Amino acid sequence: FDALLEGETDGVVDDEPVIRHHTLEDNRFRALEIIESASYAYPMWKKNPSLRLTFDKELKRMIDEGLVEKIVDKWMRGYDESTAGAETTDGVQVVRLGLFPEAIPFGFINDDGELRGIDLEIIQEVCRRIGFRLEVEAMEFDALFDALLANQVDIIAGCLSITADRKRIVAFSIP
């Protein structure tokens, strides 16, 4: 988007929610065409099915309550730093999240150097509700899946779509 503003490129192809976020934040941008639709989910290590089942149960409850939609709507309209993020609670299990911090509004680093975004807030709330303590590490996109497969993190996030290739190597949460 910076390259577009600087005249270094004529267009940007990105995920629809990312484009939508930028068009809402800056009226100099406009979306021309949606090429493909995808569902987003949180990849998890396949060798920990109990985490996925517990996570999915609570995520489904949050979807049914309309909380996920409220979180997405809040971030897509422009976020308010005073309400961004949820507090985690001490729990029996620690969940390690690898977050790609360059996928605004799904994950990003704010002006105060803090991680924020849709994915982080949803995962924080799931962990809070199920009593797990969340530890978050910012990671480059190329490192996310390697860290997950090496069991260095339990979940990865940052605008990650479900693909057939990815489904062969990781377990996904519900979309």
Side-chain angles (χ1 to χ4, degrees), residues 8-39:
E8 297 169 5
T9 188
D10 295 324
V12 174
V13 175
D14 208 329
D15 291 294
E16 183 267 335
V18 174
I19 297 286
R20 188 162 47 117
H21 173 78
H22 283 282
T23 60
L24 290 170
E25 290 289 309
D26 189 329
N27 64 6
R28 294 175 291 178
F29 298 123
R30 64 186 174 99
L32 298 177
E33 178 182 1
I34 295 175
I35 298 170
E36 179 180 331
S37 293
S39 293

mmCIF file of all heavy atoms in Angstrom, residues 8-39:
data_model
loop_
_atom_site.group_PDB
_atom_site.id
_atom_site.type_symbol
_atom_site.label_atom_id
_atom_site.label_comp_id
_atom_site.label_asym_id
_atom_site.label_seq_id
_atom_site.Cartn_x
_atom_site.Cartn_y
_atom_site.Cartn_z
ATOM 1 N N GLU A 8 5.002 3.693 -6.912
ATOM 2 C CA GLU A 8 5.930 2.649 -7.324
ATOM 3 C C GLU A 8 5.224 1.449 -7.940
ATOM 4 O O GLU A 8 5.860 0.587 -8.539
ATOM 5 C CB GLU A 8 6.767 2.202 -6.122
ATOM 6 C CG GLU A 8 7.642 3.312 -5.566
ATOM 7 C CD GLU A 8 8.270 2.948 -4.232
ATOM 8 O OE1 GLU A 8 8.115 1.793 -3.775
ATOM 9 O OE2 GLU A 8 8.906 3.823 -3.635
ATOM 10 N N THR A 9 3.899 1.388 -7.794
ATOM 11 C CA THR A 9 3.105 0.312 -8.381
ATOM 12 C C THR A 9 1.740 0.875 -8.733
ATOM 13 O O THR A 9 1.335 1.917 -8.222
ATOM 14 C CB THR A 9 2.987 -0.890 -7.417
ATOM 15 O OG1 THR A 9 2.363 -1.976 -8.086
ATOM 16 C CG2 THR A 9 2.180 -0.537 -6.178
ATOM 17 N N ASP A 10 1.043 0.174 -9.614
ATOM 18 C CA ASP A 10 -0.272 0.642 -10.053
ATOM 19 C C ASP A 10 -1.418 -0.029 -9.315
ATOM 20 O O ASP A 10 -2.573 0.374 -9.466
ATOM 21 C CB ASP A 10 -0.437 0.402 -11.553
ATOM 22 C CG ASP A 10 0.530 1.229 -12.372
ATOM 23 O OD1 ASP A 10 0.808 2.377 -11.974
ATOM 24 O OD2 ASP A 10 1.030 0.714 -13.392
ATOM 25 N N GLY A 11 -1.136 -1.075 -8.556
ATOM 26 C CA GLY A 11 -2.210 -1.777 -7.871
ATOM 27 C C GLY A 11 -1.662 -2.730 -6.835
ATOM 28 O O GLY A 11 -0.460 -2.977 -6.761
ATOM 29 N N VAL A 12 -2.574 -3.265 -6.033
ATOM 30 C CA VAL A 12 -2.234 -4.198 -4.973
ATOM 31 C C VAL A 12 -3.212 -5.362 -5.043
ATOM 32 O O VAL A 12 -4.415 -5.157 -5.210
ATOM 33 C CB VAL A 12 -2.346 -3.532 -3.581
ATOM 34 C CG1 VAL A 12 -2.126 -4.538 -2.469
ATOM 35 C CG2 VAL A 12 -1.389 -2.366 -3.462
ATOM 36 N N VAL A 13 -2.689 -6.564 -4.926
ATOM 37 C CA VAL A 13 -3.528 -7.747 -4.789
ATOM 38 C C VAL A 13 -3.278 -8.273 -3.379
ATOM 39 O O VAL A 13 -2.143 -8.512 -2.988
ATOM 40 C CB VAL A 13 -3.179 -8.828 -5.837
ATOM 41 C CG1 VAL A 13 -3.985 -10.094 -5.590
ATOM 42 C CG2 VAL A 13 -3.403 -8.297 -7.238
ATOM 43 N N ASP A 14 -4.348 -8.415 -2.610
ATOM 44 C CA ASP A 14 -4.217 -8.879 -1.237
ATOM 45 C C ASP A 14 -5.533 -9.522 -0.830
ATOM 46 O O ASP A 14 -6.506 -9.523 -1.592
ATOM 47 C CB ASP A 14 -3.881 -7.708 -0.307
ATOM 48 C CG ASP A 14 -3.087 -8.136 0.923
ATOM 49 O OD1 ASP A 14 -3.270 -9.281 1.384
ATOM 50 O OD2 ASP A 14 -2.298 -7.327 1.429
ATOM 51 N N ASP A 15 -5.579 -10.065 0.374
ATOM 52 C CA ASP A 15 -6.810 -10.655 0.877
ATOM 53 C C ASP A 15 -7.888 -9.587 0.984
ATOM 54 O O ASP A 15 -7.612 -8.444 1.368
ATOM 55 C CB ASP A 15 -6.569 -11.306 2.234
ATOM 56 C CG ASP A 15 -5.704 -12.545 2.116
ATOM 57 O OD1 ASP A 15 -6.173 -13.515 1.499
ATOM 58 O OD2 ASP A 15 -4.575 -12.540 2.636
ATOM 59 N N GLU A 16 -9.122 -9.973 0.682
ATOM 60 C CA GLU A 16 -10.240 -9.033 0.653
ATOM 61 C C GLU A 16 -10.399 -8.255 1.952
ATOM 62 O O GLU A 16 -10.559 -7.039 1.925
ATOM 63 C CB GLU A 16 -11.532 -9.774 0.283
ATOM 64 C CG GLU A 16 -12.749 -8.879 0.158
ATOM 65 C CD GLU A 16 -13.545 -8.771 1.445
ATOM 66 O OE1 GLU A 16 -13.468 -9.689 2.279
ATOM 67 O OE2 GLU A 16 -14.246 -7.754 1.605
ATOM 68 N N PRO A 17 -10.314 -8.893 3.138
ATOM 69 C CA PRO A 17 -10.453 -8.100 4.362
ATOM 70 C C PRO A 17 -9.325 -7.083 4.545
ATOM 71 O O PRO A 17 -9.544 -6.011 5.100
ATOM 72 C CB PRO A 17 -10.428 -9.149 5.478
ATOM 73 C CG PRO A 17 -10.820 -10.418 4.822
ATOM 74 C CD PRO A 17 -10.287 -10.326 3.422
ATOM 75 N N VAL A 18 -8.127 -7.406 4.082
ATOM 76 C CA VAL A 18 -7.011 -6.470 4.173
ATOM 77 C C VAL A 18 -7.278 -5.269 3.272
ATOM 78 O O VAL A 18 -7.111 -4.112 3.676
ATOM 79 C CB VAL A 18 -5.682 -7.156 3.811
ATOM 80 C CG1 VAL A 18 -4.534 -6.157 3.759
ATOM 81 C CG2 VAL A 18 -5.373 -8.290 4.793
ATOM 82 N N ILE A 19 -7.725 -5.537 2.045
ATOM 83 C CA ILE A 19 -8.067 -4.453 1.115
ATOM 84 C C ILE A 19 -9.196 -3.606 1.710
ATOM 85 O O ILE A 19 -9.144 -2.372 1.707
ATOM 86 C CB ILE A 19 -8.499 -5.012 -0.260
ATOM 87 C CG1 ILE A 19 -7.353 -5.770 -0.929
ATOM 88 C CG2 ILE A 19 -9.070 -3.915 -1.148
ATOM 89 C CD1 ILE A 19 -6.256 -4.918 -1.498
ATOM 90 N N ARG A 20 -10.223 -4.279 2.232
ATOM 91 C CA ARG A 20 -11.363 -3.556 2.807
ATOM 92 C C ARG A 20 -10.921 -2.658 3.957
ATOM 93 O O ARG A 20 -11.348 -1.514 4.072
ATOM 94 C CB ARG A 20 -12.431 -4.551 3.266
ATOM 95 C CG ARG A 20 -13.719 -3.889 3.686
ATOM 96 C CD ARG A 20 -14.897 -4.840 3.721
ATOM 97 N NE ARG A 20 -14.651 -6.087 4.374
ATOM 98 C CZ ARG A 20 -15.280 -6.501 5.475
ATOM 99 N NH1 ARG A 20 -16.199 -5.743 6.029
ATOM 100 N NH2 ARG A 20 -15.006 -7.662 6.003
ATOM 101 N N HIS A 21 -10.031 -3.176 4.787
ATOM 102 C CA HIS A 21 -9.518 -2.373 5.901
ATOM 103 C C HIS A 21 -8.819 -1.114 5.384
ATOM 104 O O HIS A 21 -9.068 -0.017 5.863
ATOM 105 C CB HIS A 21 -8.554 -3.190 6.752
ATOM 106 C CG HIS A 21 -7.864 -2.397 7.808
ATOM 107 N ND1 HIS A 21 -8.490 -2.040 8.980
ATOM 108 C CD2 HIS A 21 -6.631 -1.858 7.856
ATOM 109 C CE1 HIS A 21 -7.653 -1.327 9.709
ATOM 110 N NE2 HIS A 21 -6.519 -1.207 9.045
ATOM 111 N N HIS A 22 -7.965 -1.289 4.386
ATOM 112 C CA HIS A 22 -7.226 -0.134 3.859
ATOM 113 C C HIS A 22 -8.146 0.867 3.168
ATOM 114 O O HIS A 22 -7.924 2.079 3.265
ATOM 115 C CB HIS A 22 -6.114 -0.594 2.915
ATOM 116 C CG HIS A 22 -4.921 -1.127 3.651
ATOM 117 N ND1 HIS A 22 -3.993 -0.307 4.248
ATOM 118 C CD2 HIS A 22 -4.522 -2.390 3.895
ATOM 119 C CE1 HIS A 22 -3.067 -1.048 4.825
ATOM 120 N NE2 HIS A 22 -3.365 -2.313 4.632
ATOM 121 N N THR A 23 -9.184 0.383 2.485
ATOM 122 C CA THR A 23 -10.101 1.324 1.831
ATOM 123 C C THR A 23 -10.919 2.097 2.856
ATOM 124 O O THR A 23 -11.287 3.244 2.609
ATOM 125 C CB THR A 23 -11.043 0.618 0.832
ATOM 126 O OG1 THR A 23 -11.826 -0.355 1.511
ATOM 127 C CG2 THR A 23 -10.265 -0.034 -0.304
ATOM 128 N N LEU A 24 -11.200 1.500 3.998
ATOM 129 C CA LEU A 24 -11.922 2.207 5.058
ATOM 130 C C LEU A 24 -11.022 3.201 5.782
ATOM 131 O O LEU A 24 -11.477 4.256 6.203
ATOM 132 C CB LEU A 24 -12.509 1.213 6.062
ATOM 133 C CG LEU A 24 -13.668 0.363 5.558
ATOM 134 C CD1 LEU A 24 -13.999 -0.732 6.564
ATOM 135 C CD2 LEU A 24 -14.887 1.216 5.274
ATOM 136 N N GLU A 25 -9.755 2.852 5.928
ATOM 137 C CA GLU A 25 -8.810 3.719 6.628
ATOM 138 C C GLU A 25 -8.361 4.906 5.774
ATOM 139 O O GLU A 25 -8.022 5.948 6.298
ATOM 140 C CB GLU A 25 -7.573 2.912 7.054
ATOM 141 C CG GLU A 25 -7.837 1.926 8.158
ATOM 142 C CD GLU A 25 -8.075 2.592 9.490
ATOM 143 O OE1 GLU A 25 -7.257 3.429 9.898
ATOM 144 O OE2 GLU A 25 -9.100 2.285 10.121
ATOM 145 N N ASP A 26 -8.331 4.729 4.461
ATOM 146 C CA ASP A 26 -7.771 5.756 3.577
ATOM 147 C C ASP A 26 -8.602 5.807 2.302
ATOM 148 O O ASP A 26 -8.591 4.860 1.511
ATOM 149 C CB ASP A 26 -6.316 5.419 3.258
ATOM 150 C CG ASP A 26 -5.585 6.532 2.530
ATOM 151 O OD1 ASP A 26 -6.226 7.285 1.769
ATOM 152 O OD2 ASP A 26 -4.360 6.643 2.712
ATOM 153 N N ASN A 27 -9.322 6.899 2.076
ATOM 154 C CA ASN A 27 -10.227 6.986 0.929
ATOM 155 C C ASN A 27 -9.493 7.128 -0.404
ATOM 156 O O ASN A 27 -10.130 7.176 -1.451
ATOM 157 C CB ASN A 27 -11.256 8.108 1.118
ATOM 158 C CG ASN A 27 -10.616 9.483 1.173
ATOM 159 O OD1 ASN A 27 -9.420 9.634 0.968
ATOM 160 N ND2 ASN A 27 -11.425 10.480 1.480
ATOM 161 N N ARG A 28 -8.156 7.163 -0.382
ATOM 162 C CA ARG A 28 -7.406 7.162 -1.642
ATOM 163 C C ARG A 28 -7.356 5.768 -2.253
ATOM 164 O O ARG A 28 -7.039 5.610 -3.421
ATOM 165 C CB ARG A 28 -5.983 7.681 -1.425
ATOM 166 C CG ARG A 28 -5.950 9.169 -1.029
ATOM 167 C CD ARG A 28 -4.551 9.621 -0.715
ATOM 168 N NE ARG A 28 -4.110 8.982 0.524
ATOM 169 C CZ ARG A 28 -2.907 9.137 1.070
ATOM 170 N NH1 ARG A 28 -2.003 9.884 0.463
ATOM 171 N NH2 ARG A 28 -2.601 8.539 2.205
ATOM 172 N N PHE A 29 -7.691 4.738 -1.467
ATOM 173 C CA PHE A 29 -7.713 3.367 -1.958
ATOM 174 C C PHE A 29 -9.140 2.972 -2.310
ATOM 175 O O PHE A 29 -10.085 3.404 -1.665
ATOM 176 C CB PHE A 29 -7.204 2.386 -0.887
ATOM 177 C CG PHE A 29 -5.787 2.609 -0.473
ATOM 178 C CD1 PHE A 29 -5.470 2.834 0.853
ATOM 179 C CD2 PHE A 29 -4.752 2.583 -1.397
ATOM 180 C CE1 PHE A 29 -4.167 3.023 1.261
ATOM 181 C CE2 PHE A 29 -3.433 2.772 -1.006
ATOM 182 C CZ PHE A 29 -3.143 2.992 0.329
ATOM 183 N N ARG A 30 -9.276 2.110 -3.313
ATOM 184 C CA ARG A 30 -10.579 1.520 -3.602
ATOM 185 C C ARG A 30 -10.383 0.122 -4.158
ATOM 186 O O ARG A 30 -9.417 -0.150 -4.872
ATOM 187 C CB ARG A 30 -11.401 2.378 -4.552
ATOM 188 C CG ARG A 30 -10.865 2.552 -5.921
ATOM 189 C CD ARG A 30 -11.723 3.557 -6.714
ATOM 190 N NE ARG A 30 -11.115 3.814 -7.983
ATOM 191 C CZ ARG A 30 -11.489 3.234 -9.126
ATOM 192 N NH1 ARG A 30 -12.489 2.399 -9.125
ATOM 193 N NH2 ARG A 30 -10.865 3.508 -10.245
ATOM 194 N N ALA A 31 -11.294 -0.758 -3.801
ATOM 195 C CA ALA A 31 -11.242 -2.140 -4.275
ATOM 196 C C ALA A 31 -11.902 -2.203 -5.640
ATOM 197 O O ALA A 31 -12.989 -1.674 -5.842
ATOM 198 C CB ALA A 31 -11.959 -3.056 -3.291
ATOM 199 N N LEU A 32 -11.234 -2.846 -6.580
ATOM 200 C CA LEU A 32 -11.765 -2.953 -7.930
ATOM 201 C C LEU A 32 -12.457 -4.283 -8.179
ATOM 202 O O LEU A 32 -13.473 -4.332 -8.856
ATOM 203 C CB LEU A 32 -10.637 -2.769 -8.960
ATOM 204 C CG LEU A 32 -9.936 -1.419 -8.930
ATOM 205 C CD1 LEU A 32 -8.805 -1.413 -9.947
ATOM 206 C CD2 LEU A 32 -10.923 -0.301 -9.227
ATOM 207 N N GLU A 33 -11.894 -5.359 -7.662
ATOM 208 C CA GLU A 33 -12.436 -6.678 -7.981
ATOM 209 C C GLU A 33 -12.035 -7.677 -6.907
ATOM 210 O O GLU A 33 -10.922 -7.648 -6.408
ATOM 211 C CB GLU A 33 -11.868 -7.128 -9.333
ATOM 212 C CG GLU A 33 -12.296 -8.496 -9.774
ATOM 213 C CD GLU A 33 -11.659 -8.908 -11.102
ATOM 214 O OE1 GLU A 33 -10.870 -8.134 -11.668
ATOM 215 O OE2 GLU A 33 -11.961 -10.007 -11.550
ATOM 216 N N ILE A 34 -12.967 -8.556 -6.562
ATOM 217 C CA ILE A 34 -12.641 -9.678 -5.684
ATOM 218 C C ILE A 34 -12.385 -10.866 -6.603
ATOM 219 O O ILE A 34 -13.272 -11.299 -7.343
ATOM 220 C CB ILE A 34 -13.776 -9.974 -4.688
ATOM 221 C CG1 ILE A 34 -13.943 -8.783 -3.748
ATOM 222 C CG2 ILE A 34 -13.479 -11.252 -3.918
ATOM 223 C CD1 ILE A 34 -15.105 -8.915 -2.789
ATOM 224 N N ILE A 35 -11.166 -11.372 -6.569
ATOM 225 C CA ILE A 35 -10.755 -12.447 -7.469
ATOM 226 C C ILE A 35 -11.199 -13.803 -6.948
ATOM 227 O O ILE A 35 -11.646 -14.653 -7.691
ATOM 228 C CB ILE A 35 -9.229 -12.417 -7.668
ATOM 229 C CG1 ILE A 35 -8.817 -11.088 -8.314
ATOM 230 C CG2 ILE A 35 -8.755 -13.597 -8.506
ATOM 231 C CD1 ILE A 35 -7.331 -10.843 -8.333
ATOM 232 N N GLU A 36 -11.082 -14.007 -5.641
ATOM 233 C CA GLU A 36 -11.370 -15.311 -5.058
ATOM 234 C C GLU A 36 -11.771 -15.116 -3.605
ATOM 235 O O GLU A 36 -11.253 -14.238 -2.932
ATOM 236 C CB GLU A 36 -10.100 -16.167 -5.144
ATOM 237 C CG GLU A 36 -10.224 -17.536 -4.573
ATOM 238 C CD GLU A 36 -8.913 -18.316 -4.691
ATOM 239 O OE1 GLU A 36 -8.132 -18.070 -5.625
ATOM 240 O OE2 GLU A 36 -8.678 -19.164 -3.826
ATOM 241 N N SER A 37 -12.683 -15.928 -3.123
ATOM 242 C CA SER A 37 -13.069 -15.892 -1.712
ATOM 243 C C SER A 37 -12.411 -17.058 -0.990
ATOM 244 O O SER A 37 -12.230 -18.129 -1.565
ATOM 245 C CB SER A 37 -14.580 -15.998 -1.561
ATOM 246 O OG SER A 37 -15.200 -14.856 -2.083
ATOM 247 N N ALA A 38 -12.058 -16.852 0.261
ATOM 248 C CA ALA A 38 -11.430 -17.901 1.053
ATOM 249 C C ALA A 38 -11.921 -17.795 2.485
ATOM 250 O O ALA A 38 -12.347 -16.737 2.933
ATOM 251 C CB ALA A 38 -9.903 -17.745 1.015
ATOM 252 N N SER A 39 -11.838 -18.899 3.192
ATOM 253 C CA SER A 39 -12.122 -18.919 4.622
ATOM 254 C C SER A 39 -10.807 -18.838 5.367
ATOM 255 O O SER A 39 -9.794 -19.366 4.914
ATOM 256 C CB SER A 39 -12.837 -20.216 5.005
ATOM 257 O OG SER A 39 -14.113 -20.267 4.434
#
